[in-house]
Amino acid sequence: MSIHLFATIVTPTAVAANNRGEGDGSTLATLQTITRGNDQYTTVSADSIRWALREYFQHHYPDEINRTFDPDRDQYTFKDEKCSAEKFIDDDLFGYMDAKKDKNNKNATVKRRGALEVCRAVSLEPYWGDVAFGSKGGEKGKTSIHQTQMHLTAYQYTIALTPEHLKNPERASFLLDALVGVRHVGGNHSRFLFEFRPESIILRLTSDPSPWIMGCFKRMGEDIGCPELERLIQAEDIPANELFVGGKIAKTPYGQKLEGLGVRVFDGVKQAKDQVKEQLSKEGIFA
């Protein structure tokens, strides 16, 4: 029976706003928004999060990455045009697609679906349209005035991985390290610095193919809670012993309630991550 790894992450609360860059002088929106009910929320794409994970692997495992980003030339280069999930972390986790036909099958392209799945990050707070206006320095022109959208919020997102789908299952351990080591998301010229590391994290190791923990964080007054997660545990839809919770939520009433329900709760995000790595090792996923 397959073991699946799921994680839902909530970031610290900070100001999200793209710096002026390629959109200099324009009035284009710099934050993407979605509608839920009668409110708008800002969102960060899954591609941006994957970019951040690639950046982590490039810095920590430079010899095991196929696709590397050169900030001076603003472009990616490949060590080996023939992608290999066996050789490279990024080809294994994120997949690839080569438009060139497979020599052994003229009707097929060379491709691999990524083992890692990432959802869009969505803000916890509604976006009320905060905008800053400014003007570029020096000589003024018709494009001198610019605007920047800003949103004070935290974001949450979920990842899913079945380690046995990896050519090297030990890379599940590398991914866990990357999740708590993300610096910033982006990939374009006008990134903003916003810590996407977890302020709190919920990890689940299970044979259940469905995460059940997506979107479980919610702003509760000044704190961030997870009342829906508590309900799911009490309803026995999620066994408490499959969950590892770490971070700031541990010292809130929500963390204390989870602990009382039998969830393993840790003060630190990295403590929870390390316990999951230890459990994966016990399950024989990797040595």
Side-chain angles (χ1 to χ4, degrees), residues 56-211:
Y56 177 92
F57 291 130
Q58 181 173 332
H59 291 319
H60 290 79
Y61 302 95
D63 296 332
E64 299 181 56
I65 291 294
N66 191 14
R67 184 179 176 185
T68 58
F69 180 71
D70 185 341
D72 293 327
R73 293 189 294 166
D74 194 28
Q75 69 180 42
Y76 284 98
T77 57
F78 288 83
K79 290 180 182 176
D80 190 340
E81 289 189 5
K82 187 177 181 181
C83 298
S84 171
E86 288 81 4
K87 289 172 58 178
F88 301 114
I89 295 172
D90 49 343
D91 289 344
D92 201 3
L93 279 169
F94 305 120
Y96 52 83
M97 196 285 285
D98 189 342
K100 298 175 183 176
K101 297 296 183 180
D102 187 338
K103 292 181 180 179
N104 299 319
N105 184 351
K106 295 182 179 180
N107 296 319
T109 55
V110 179
K111 61 183 178 180
R112 169 178 167 79
R113 179 182 173 129
L116 174 67
E117 297 177 282
V118 185
C119 77
R120 272 186 170 268
V122 179
S123 65
L124 292 192
E125 283 79 16
Y127 175 60
W128 302 111
D130 295 332
V131 177
F133 288 92
S135 175
K136 71 177 184 181
E139 185 178 349
K140 302 298 187 290
K142 62 181 181 181
T143 62
S144 296
I145 303 299
H146 62 86
Q147 70 177 31
T148 301
Q149 292 178 313
M150 301 178 296
H151 191 194
L152 180 63
T153 189
Y155 288 95
Q156 70 171 315
Y157 65 97
T158 297
I159 65 94
L161 177 70
T162 303
E164 71 176 35
H165 290 170
L166 294 168
K167 297 298 183 182
N168 180 354
E170 188 179 3
R171 290 167 178 160
S173 175
F174 301 164
L175 173 66
L176 286 165
D177 290 333
L179 289 176
V180 304
V182 166
R183 178 178 176 183
H184 53 205
V185 297
N188 58 9
H189 178 62
S190 53
R191 295 187 296 277
F192 58 90
L193 178 60
F194 187 109
E195 278 193 295
F196 250 71
R197 57 91 180 170
E199 180 178 86
S200 295
I201 189 169
I202 297 169
L203 295 138
R204 185 184 183 201
L205 286 180
T206 179
S207 59
D208 187 340
S210 182

